[in-house]
Amino acid sequence: MTGMGPLQAGDGRRSDRVRADVITPELALGQGELAVVEVEVTNVDEVIRSYKVDVLGLDPDWIRVDATMLDLFPGERRTVPISFQLPADFPAGRRAIAIEISEPGVTGAAAVVVEAVLSVAPIDGIGLTAEPATVECGRTGTFVVTVVNTGNTTLDLAVSAQDPERAVTVAFDPPRNRLHPGERCVVQATGTGRRPWFGMPAIRVLDVRATAGATEAISAIAFMQRPRISRRVITMVGLLAVVTLFAFVILKSFSDVAALSEENAALIKTSMGEDEALGERIAPASVAGQVTSTTGGGIDGVAVELYEQDNPVLPAFATVTDAEGNFRFGGLGEGAYLLRFQVAGFGEIWYPAGETFADAEPVEVAAGAAVADLIISLDGRPGAVGGVVLGADVADAVVTVQLPAAIIEGSDVDPVPAVVATMAVDASGMFLLPDLPTPATYEVQVAKPGYATELRTLSLGPGEQRDDLQVLLRKGDGVLSGTIVDTAGTPLGGAAITATDGAAQTQTRSLSGDETNGLFELRDLATPATYTITVTAPGYFDQTVTLTLEAEQQRDDLTIVMTADRGSLAGHVTAPDGTPLGGVTITVGGADFERTTESLSVGDVGAWYLEGLPVPGTYTVTFRGEDRQTQALSVDLVAGPEARRTGIDAVLGRANASISGIVADSDDRPVSGVQITLERSGVTRTTISSDAPLGAYGFDRVPPGAYTLTFRRAGSTAQTLLIDLRAGETVTAPRIQLEEQARITGVFTRDDVGEAGVGVTIYTQSGYPGSAVRTTITGAGGVFRVEALDAPETYIVEFQVPAGGPPVGSETVFLRPGEAVNVEFDL
């Protein structure tokens, strides 16, 4: 058996089931261009085959295969276009792409792999920014240059800067950089130039350049150097002289004149900032936070004023909050500030919770610091809900204002509305419920035994007063009851049921219990009316039913079927011989979903089950086992009974192969100690033939592929066997026979008489006389024998009398593999 040679771009590849050819083996494409490789797939088998086309080695988002699955009749051929669109930063050069044609789900089917080469043209690109845009300094100023490699090749970049007058010298650290595609670097630049002595600042425009070969990017900054002595200083010096002269005339005391001069000089120095280091600036401070309502959420449009602590009359800054209630003041100096917040419906508050300026706490702001995350909660002014209950008999009807259960933070599985206020109305039906927290969303419920419960939902803004609510109280003589079940007919307890006719709403839940599970009843429904019944339950899709109740009608025959919004998959994993396989990893993946489990290793071995899968959905089920072929199945889950699917079984053949055999000698007798090497590119395994059973050898868990088996033992010619292993295959190699091992025999005689006890030492010619290969002593009749010598080799046979004594002579022998050479030495 022989294996295939190395793949070459454009080569056709075939197995006993399929042949694949690349029509366009190499394509050149530019940045962002679309390239199409055509692969021709031919069914060379005698039956209809289904093939899958996969591209290996690239991100799937860059690839589009027009037909990933092909069903071909015997002899049918089809061309599959494969489109490639590589990202703009894909590295330039030639990239080999492997295209695999396989038969999914077919045990033992060998995949065929062909190659195409994508040649990506090199594109150089540089992005450059220099910050800050204006550098204000004295003699020396610094700025930062950021360079980005926007192309697809590696660039050696140099950064430089120059002004037209050549007055500024710029040094860069580092001056050169090597950037890979998409990589960026930050370079610190230091500009140095002569600054003027007097007058206006010197402003020079620096052209900053990043170059790599012929590619260049340019940016510009303004390099502004202040004069050593500004015009303001000269003016102030003149004024100082005038003031000094005037003081000299007015004041009689020279000491007073000197003191006044010193104070003026100090004042001028401070006002001109001469005590600060040139180029040194302190970043402004800021204050930020959020205004929220005590009933939840940020408040939009709150007027926020910031006062200096010693001036509470006029605000230093003012702003309003955004839609989330956020505000921010920037450009602040060091100091203590007060904050006032006011908005219609909420009133006014001084930070953190004061009613007046005297109650405010200052916010301390350090120089250059950012005070953030200030949280201010405002209470909305109390609101009210009022109106009238209409009907023939409204006395003793109860009006309740409550927060809906759905919006109560921390609600449990079975939440109930939170009652805020309640009252009973008299025969007039008038009601008013004041002092309600705002802003908030409320449910207004009107209930009376024997009448339909009416429910209205309304939202109150900050301080809003509603007195226009009208509720019609209708006779409730209708009843709806029945059972909530799933698609298998199993009753469901705890389902939420809501019935509404557009004017009123009634809610209940299905019962939980052995005998009452799934039962529900809606009483006191107004008739005649058409109701929409909505049922919700965790793990199920919402179900809506519309029906009509005639006057005084009571129905108890409703059965509402809930469809699960989660499904399950189950099956078994076995080997090809039917043996159950435990410990196999099963991964179920879908859109934004992935779950993993394992097949059982005890009990129902090989069984697996996974639930909680969103439906509808298409899932890929992948089976992976140690030393087993990976198998993938596509499964659709649809709402209804098909949401729980069984029989998702997999048969996993062995992923690797095994090989065994026997090594014998030339007389076909098994021999031990032979070194056997199994190898191919990237895989090398070695063993020796065993003593029991004699001559046997074997390799397990060998990856599929074409291998070379080499048999070696000292003194025999190595033998090689080519073998092709397929996944799951157990191969018995042909019996190998090795020739006899090379050996040297002979006799030592003295005066034609064989002499025992003579030392015999054998050296290689290159190792003589330092390192002996073998030693022995002649036996009776002077006979000796040395076996298993490496060959071909030239040996020197040396004799010592007595053994271990001085040499008395030697012979040179050339030994071939399997050869026996006889040496006769007479002293």
Side-chain angles (χ1 to χ4, degrees):
M1 290 178 286
T2 60
M4 297 187 298
L7 292 173
Q8 300 294 330
D11 280 0
R13 287 288 182 262
R14 66 172 292 162
S15 67
D16 55 357
R17 300 174 184 265
V18 63
R19 175 182 175 86
D21 297 270
V22 179
I23 299 175
T24 49
E26 182 165 353
L27 288 176
L29 68 164
Q31 189 175 30
E33 290 182 355
L34 181 70
V36 178
V37 173
E38 293 185 335
V39 178
E40 189 175 75
V41 181
T42 306
N43 181 359
V44 298
D45 203 358
E46 297 179 354
V47 298
I48 298 174
R49 293 289 180 187
S50 180
Y51 305 107
K52 183 181 181 184
V53 181
D54 289 310
V55 179
L56 311 177
L58 283 182
D59 191 319
D61 292 338
W62 306 341
I63 306 162
R64 189 183 76 245
V65 182
D66 284 4
T68 56
M69 295 298 299
L70 301 175
D71 294 321
L72 301 182
F73 290 94
E76 184 180 358
R77 178 181 306 165
R78 190 175 302 175
T79 300
V80 180
I82 303 174
S83 302
F84 298 87
Q85 188 160 24
L86 304 181
D89 58 353
F90 192 86
R94 299 174 76 252
R95 175 72 176 268
I97 306 301
I99 303 170
E100 180 186 68
I101 293 85
S102 61
E103 292 184 73
V106 179
T107 303
V112 173
V113 179
V114 292
E115 287 187 359
V117 174
L118 300 181
S119 181
V120 181
I123 298 176
D124 294 337
I126 303 174
L128 173 68
T129 57
E131 296 177 320
T134 301
V135 178
E136 184 179 353
C137 62
R139 183 173 183 271
T140 301
T142 62
F143 57 96
V144 173
V145 178
T146 303
V147 187
V148 183
N149 184 353
T150 60
N152 63 2
T153 61
T154 300
L155 298 180
D156 290 317
L157 288 160
V159 186
S160 62
Q162 197 172 61
D163 68 293
E165 302 175 18
R166 305 293 195 274
V168 178
T169 301
V170 183
F172 295 92
D173 182 20
R176 304 188 68 86
N177 289 274
R178 166 164 287 192
L179 297 184
H180 298 289
E183 190 177 0
R184 69 175 57 227
C185 68
V186 177
V187 180
Q188 182 174 347
T190 303
T192 304
R194 180 177 299 177
R195 62 189 296 196
W197 279 96
F198 305 100
M200 299 294 292
I203 301 176
R204 299 179 175 92
V205 178
L206 296 179
D207 287 332
V208 183
R209 300 172 183 266
T211 57
T215 306
E216 183 178 65
I218 303 176
S219 184
I221 66 167
F223 198 77
M224 185 171 66
Q225 294 178 286
R226 298 187 300 272
R228 299 178 184 271
I229 302 175
S230 68
R231 295 173 62 183
R232 293 176 59 191
V233 173
I234 295 174
T235 301
M236 294 303 296
V237 170
L239 292 175
L240 179 61
V242 173
V243 170
T244 304
L245 180 60
F246 181 74
F248 178 77
V249 174
I250 298 301
L251 299 177
K252 298 179 181 180
S253 173
F254 178 79
S255 59
D256 291 343
V257 172
L260 181 59
S261 298
E262 290 178 0
E263 291 177 2
N264 289 337
L267 177 62
I268 294 172
K269 188 174 182 181
T270 301
S271 66
M272 296 304 297
E274 296 296 331
D275 289 334
E276 296 182 5
L278 291 177
E280 228 178 73
R281 292 181 297 173
I282 298 176
S286 63
V287 172
Q290 184 184 30
V291 183
T292 63
S293 169
T294 53
T295 58
I299 305 176
D300 186 13
V302 178
V304 186
E305 297 175 338
L306 183 138
Y307 295 81
E308 295 176 346
Q309 187 178 14
D310 55 358
N311 183 14
V313 178
L314 295 175
F317 298 94
T319 187
V320 294
T321 58
D322 61 17
E324 286 76 35
N326 298 312
F327 68 91
R328 183 180 184 278
F329 294 104
L332 303 179
E334 181 179 5
Y337 297 92
L338 305 177
L339 291 168
R340 183 172 73 164
F341 306 88
Q342 54 185 350
V343 63
F346 288 90
E348 174 185 310
I349 187 174
W350 289 79
Y351 179 81
E355 295 183 0
T356 65
F357 165 76
D359 302 322
E361 292 183 7
V363 177
E364 299 289 343
V365 179
V371 179
D373 300 329
L374 295 180
I375 303 298
I376 298 87
S377 294
L378 300 183
D379 290 314
R381 296 187 183 278
V385 172
V388 60
V389 180
L390 304 175
D393 182 14
V394 299
D396 298 325
V398 177
V399 182
T400 302
V401 176
Q402 59 194 24
L403 288 172
I407 68 171
I408 298 174
E409 188 173 351
S411 296
D412 55 18
V413 177
D414 191 13
V416 296
V419 175
V420 178
T422 185
M423 68 170 290
V425 301
D426 56 19
S428 69
M430 302 297 294
F431 66 92
L432 178 64
L433 297 164
D435 299 325
L436 302 179
T438 62
T441 297
Y442 292 107
E443 290 177 344
V444 180
Q445 176 183 283
V446 179
K448 182 177 179 179
Y451 289 83
T453 299
E454 305 290 337
L455 196 66
R456 302 289 186 272
T457 300
L458 56 83
S459 295
L460 292 182
E464 185 176 3
Q465 310 282 327
R466 288 284 302 274
D467 58 2
D468 57 350
L469 199 61
Q470 293 184 349
V471 182
L472 177 61
L473 194 62
R474 299 173 294 169
K475 193 68 175 176
D477 51 12
V479 176
L480 287 174
S481 62
T483 308
I484 309 297
V485 299
D486 62 14
T487 52
T490 304
L492 294 178
I497 302 123
T498 301
T500 179
D501 63 351
Q505 180 175 292
T506 302
Q507 297 176 334
T508 188
R509 283 186 174 271
S510 59
L511 300 176
S512 299
D514 295 338
E515 298 180 359
T516 60
N517 196 35
L519 298 178
F520 73 94
E521 184 176 61
L522 296 165
R523 304 187 63 85
D524 298 331
L525 301 178
T527 62
T530 298
Y531 286 92
T532 298
I533 302 174
T534 302
V535 184
T536 61
Y540 294 86
F541 290 109
D542 293 352
Q543 185 66 276
T544 300
V545 177
T546 301
L547 51 83
T548 300
L549 282 182
E550 304 297 339
E552 302 182 7
Q553 185 179 6
Q554 298 185 358
R555 292 189 57 178
D556 59 0
D557 57 348
L558 291 181
T559 299
I560 300 178
V561 180
M562 303 293 291
T563 300
D565 66 355
R566 291 291 185 271
S568 64
L569 295 173
H572 283 79
V573 186
T574 60
D577 61 359
T579 303
L581 297 178
V584 174
T585 299
I586 298 101
T587 301
V588 178
D592 301 322
F593 179 89
E594 184 173 286
R595 293 272 298 280
T596 300
T597 187
E598 285 190 357
S599 58
L600 296 178
S601 299
V602 295
D604 189 4
V605 177
W608 68 277
Y609 175 76
L610 195 61
E611 61 181 355
L613 308 177
V615 294
T618 298
Y619 296 94
T620 299
V621 185
T622 306
F623 301 85
R624 294 183 178 89
E626 185 178 1
D627 193 26
R628 294 286 172 180
Q629 291 179 308
T630 298
Q631 184 174 338
L633 304 173
S634 181
V635 180
D636 290 325
L637 289 183
V638 297
E642 291 297 315
R644 298 184 178 275
R645 294 191 56 178
T646 59
I648 311 301
D649 302 331
V651 178
L652 303 186
R654 298 184 65 85
N656 297 317
S658 61
I659 183 172
S660 61
I662 297 292
V663 184
D665 61 14
S666 57
D667 295 328
D668 202 28
R669 294 173 300 189
V671 292
S672 64
V674 177
Q675 179 180 322
I676 302 104
T677 302
L678 177 74
E679 60 185 334
R680 72 167 187 183
S681 177
V683 178
T684 301
R685 300 269 295 276
T686 302
T687 188
I688 60 174
S689 57
S690 67
D691 295 324
L694 187 62
Y697 68 93
F699 296 95
D700 292 325
R701 304 179 72 174
V702 181
Y707 289 89
T708 300
L709 268 176
T710 304
F711 303 83
R712 297 182 180 90
R713 70 169 179 171
S716 298
T717 302
Q719 294 203 36
T720 299
L721 180 65
L722 300 179
I723 194 160
D724 193 1
L725 300 179
R726 298 183 180 181
E729 190 176 25
T730 299
V731 176
T732 300
R735 193 179 181 97
I736 294 296
Q737 289 183 320
L738 297 178
E739 63 188 357
E740 293 292 331
Q741 294 176 284
R743 56 200 178 278
I744 297 177
T745 62
V747 60
F748 181 88
T749 60
R750 188 195 296 267
D751 298 330
D752 297 328
V753 177
E755 184 174 343
V758 175
V760 181
T761 303
I762 298 179
Y763 301 88
T764 61
Q765 190 176 43
S766 60
Y768 182 80
S771 178
V773 175
R774 303 280 286 279
T775 61
T776 188
I777 298 175
T778 58
V783 175
F784 68 92
R785 182 184 182 93
V786 179
E787 296 182 332
L789 294 172
D790 289 335
E793 185 63 80
T794 300
Y795 291 97
I796 295 176
V797 183
E798 185 180 75
F799 301 93
Q800 304 96 28
V801 180
V808 296
S810 64
E811 293 284 346
T812 300
V813 175
F814 178 72
L815 192 61
R816 295 179 177 83
E819 184 180 16
V821 175
N822 190 60
V823 176
E824 295 182 357
F825 186 86
D826 185 65
L827 184 61

